[in-house]
Amino acid sequence: PLSNADLRVDFQPGQAVVPSPEMAKLDKIVSRLGDNPDLRVELRAFATAADSASKARRVSLARALAVKSYLTSRGIADERIDVRALGASDQNAGDRVDLFLMR
């Protein structure tokens, strides 16, 4: 089973490259999605607003797209992945992408 920690990908501040240690979490998601073709995943990406809200939104979008790219490169169909770039909308969210599995 997936834990809440497995459904969160942490990023370095200002970075949008999926860190190597986080790829194992994504591989678990790929396995779960592969075993359940009726599941979809929603990516909710956040970034701290170090400079501006618009920069945080751009960084969060880049992070969501990096996670989406990783999933599609592992065989998950593009149409099963929804992206939400939330920038700094949640001040406690930090630098991360949350993954929500749904039917």
Side-chain angles (χ1 to χ4, degrees):
L2 295 169
S3 70
N4 286 342
D6 291 328
L7 298 171
R8 173 181 168 162
V9 177
D10 293 302
F11 286 81
Q12 294 297 317
Q15 299 296 309
V17 176
V18 177
S20 296
E22 301 295 301
M23 291 178 184
K25 294 179 183 179
L26 292 176
D27 290 337
K28 289 181 183 180
I29 300 290
V30 168
S31 178
R32 181 76 175 271
L33 290 169
D35 291 344
N36 298 279
D38 57 329
L39 283 182
R40 300 177 52 80
V41 62
E42 180 176 275
L43 309 176
R44 296 182 191 171
F46 301 93
T48 52
D51 296 331
S52 68
S54 65
K55 181 175 181 183
R57 168 94 63 198
R58 285 192 306 275
V59 171
S60 69
L61 177 59
R63 289 176 175 164
L65 294 176
V67 170
K68 181 178 181 176
S69 177
Y70 186 91
L71 296 175
T72 57
S73 75
R74 301 298 188 278
I76 303 305
D78 184 69
E79 57 270 6
R80 294 178 65 193
I81 306 168
D82 298 318
V83 170
R84 295 185 65 204
L86 301 172
S89 62
D90 179 347
Q91 294 300 319
N92 299 316
D95 294 295
R96 71 177 204 241
V97 174
D98 293 334
L99 295 91
F100 293 89
L101 299 177
M102 59 196 132
R103 297 201 183 280

